[in-house]
């Protein structure tokens, strides 16, 4: 391992998608200018979907994701909107209907952390995390489902009337002291996703979630940037490496495609075994 770099350098990964399993489909990825959302948006584009790249800050980063998607031959544009704003979400979907005509895939990925010990956590820290991570998923899902119900199944496009992928976290299962706002938002996503899945499956709408573990993104640089931090992180990851955004993108392409057509209301953990309670391999 390079001593100046804690996490092993990213390998030059093959494309996320090699088959155009999403040809003709229209996707919206929220929080798609960086990290997991960026990799998912590019992966869906490689799989043949046209993609709306939602973001809330950093126009240049969002434009770069759009350029990358266009290289694979798909259509894409960037759209700035705060997913916790009802009006901005409505406007984002109205534009998508004008540009792409419909939506087939929603990846509700936008999320953030505002970490604090409980006794010092401000209401603003609590509300910001709940509003973006949880209410944002509700607002985007409601808009997408209205269109899925209006349009119904188009067999030449997909077996389902629509697919929603909720980006959750291992912290929908693992309690996380110092992060109660974040863990509460992810626990909320679990039952939001499962309740939507139960309600909407009869309409042929598939709702599922991905629960990433520790992925190398800007949200958690403090967990992997130094060697000490990376070594400590690895005690929590039985598989012995940090996750890459592309690990999540591959799961998202599969969950969005008809290859997972009978997968309904499931959370796919992509976490290197983090949820296996690794401390118990030697204790308990
Ligand atoms: C958090 C990261 C954290 C990971 C594993 C994610 O949901 O956003 O900060 O490293 O969970 O604990």
């Amino acid at each position: 391992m390079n001593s100046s770099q804690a996490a092993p350098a990213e390998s030059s990964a093959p494309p996320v998608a090699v088959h155009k399993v999403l040809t003709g489909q229209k996707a919206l990825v929220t929080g798609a200018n960086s990290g997991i959302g960026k990799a998912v948006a590019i992966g869906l584009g490689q799989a043949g979907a046209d993609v709306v790249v939602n973001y809330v800050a950093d126009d240049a980063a969002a434009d770069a994701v759009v350029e990358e998607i266009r290289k694979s031959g798909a259509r894409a544009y960037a759209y700035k909107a705060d997913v916790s704003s009802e009006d901005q979400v409505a406007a984002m979907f109205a534009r998508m209907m004008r540009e792409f005509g419909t939506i087939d895939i929603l990846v509700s990925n936008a999320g953030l952390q505002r970490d604090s010990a409980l006794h010092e956590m401000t209401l603003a820290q609590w509300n910001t995390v709940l509003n973006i991570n949880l209410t944002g998923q509700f607002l985007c899902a409601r808009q997408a489902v209205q269109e899925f119900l209006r349009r119904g199944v188009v067999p030449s496009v997909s077996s389902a009337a629509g697919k929603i992928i909720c980006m959750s976290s291992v912290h929908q299962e693992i309690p996380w002291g110092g992060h109660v706002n974040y863990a509460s938002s992810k626990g909320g996503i679990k039952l939001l996703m499962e309740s939507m899945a139960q309600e909407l499956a009869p309409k042929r709408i598939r709702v599922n979630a991905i629960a990433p573990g520790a992925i190398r993104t800007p949200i958690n640089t403090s967990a992997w940037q130094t060697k000490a931090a990376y070594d400590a992180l690895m005690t929590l990851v039985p598989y012995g490496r940090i996750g890459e955004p592309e690990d999540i993108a591959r799961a998202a392409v599969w969950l969005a495609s008809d290859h997972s057509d009978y997968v309904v209301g499931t959370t796919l953990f992509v976490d290197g075994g983090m949820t296996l309670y690794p401390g118990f391999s030697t204790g308990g």
Side-chain angles (χ1 to χ4, degrees):
M1 187 186 297
N2 179 334
S3 59
S4 66
Q5 184 170 31
E10 281 180 79
S11 55
S12 49
V16 165
V18 286
H19 300 296
K20 301 275 183 189
V21 289
L22 302 177
T23 297
Q25 302 203 40
K26 315 297 179 193
L28 167 63
V29 183
T30 66
N33 57 315
S34 77
I36 289 173
K38 171 181 175 179
V40 168
I42 292 170
L44 296 180
Q46 289 172 352
D50 296 332
V51 185
V52 179
V53 174
N54 162 259
Y55 70 105
V56 74
D58 198 345
D59 299 357
D63 290 343
V65 176
V66 166
E67 283 314 309
E68 191 64 31
I69 294 168
R70 288 180 180 159
K71 279 187 204 158
S72 54
R75 294 169 67 198
Y77 67 88
Y79 191 92
K80 185 172 185 167
D82 173 352
V83 295
S84 68
S85 159
E86 187 172 27
D87 291 347
Q88 290 181 38
V89 169
M92 175 166 68
F93 275 82
R95 166 91 187 275
M96 186 174 182
M97 296 309 109
R98 288 198 301 277
E99 295 274 342
F100 287 170
T102 192
I103 180 169
D104 303 284
I105 300 159
L106 167 66
V107 182
S108 267
N109 166 81
L112 47 67
Q113 292 180 211
R114 292 289 181 268
D115 306 331
S116 169
L118 178 77
H119 66 286
E120 291 169 340
M121 188 175 285
T122 63
L123 182 58
Q125 286 174 317
W126 172 269
N127 282 338
T128 298
V129 171
L130 270 290
N131 287 344
I132 291 170
N133 295 13
L134 185 57
T135 305
Q137 293 218 6
F138 158 69
L139 290 173
C140 291
R142 187 179 61 174
Q143 293 292 143
V145 168
Q146 287 172 5
E147 171 61 10
F148 297 159
L149 293 174
R150 184 201 66 77
R151 192 206 55 233
V153 178
V154 179
S156 58
V157 173
S158 174
S159 306
K163 282 89 51 163
I164 297 177
I165 299 169
C166 301
M167 203 57 71
S168 185
S169 163
V170 291
H171 298 297
Q172 75 168 39
E173 290 294 325
I174 303 176
W176 205 17
H179 312 257
V180 299
N181 46 1
Y182 184 84
S184 301
S185 74
K186 297 301 182 178
I189 288 168
K190 175 182 191 289
L191 276 168
L192 171 66
M193 181 281 284
E194 291 173 0
S195 301
M196 292 195 299
Q198 184 196 64
E199 179 175 329
L200 297 165
K203 307 290 186 189
R204 297 297 291 269
I205 295 167
R206 292 197 300 115
V207 187
N208 291 287
I210 298 173
I215 309 298
R216 187 205 313 253
T217 74
I219 206 173
N220 62 352
T221 44
S222 63
W224 52 265
Q225 249 180 355
T226 67
K227 179 162 171 22
Y230 187 75
D231 289 348
L233 182 64
M234 285 308 103
T235 67
L236 302 175
V237 184
Y239 202 57
R241 71 163 171 88
I242 195 167
E244 302 295 346
E246 291 72 21
D247 289 310
I248 307 303
R250 277 184 278 274
V253 168
W254 180 73
L255 276 178
S257 78
D258 283 357
H259 289 166
S260 61
D261 189 52
Y262 207 49
V263 179
V264 174
T266 288
T267 297
L268 179 53
F269 285 81
V270 183
D271 68 352
M274 191 176 241
T275 36
L276 298 174
Y277 298 96
F280 279 78
S281 64
T282 52

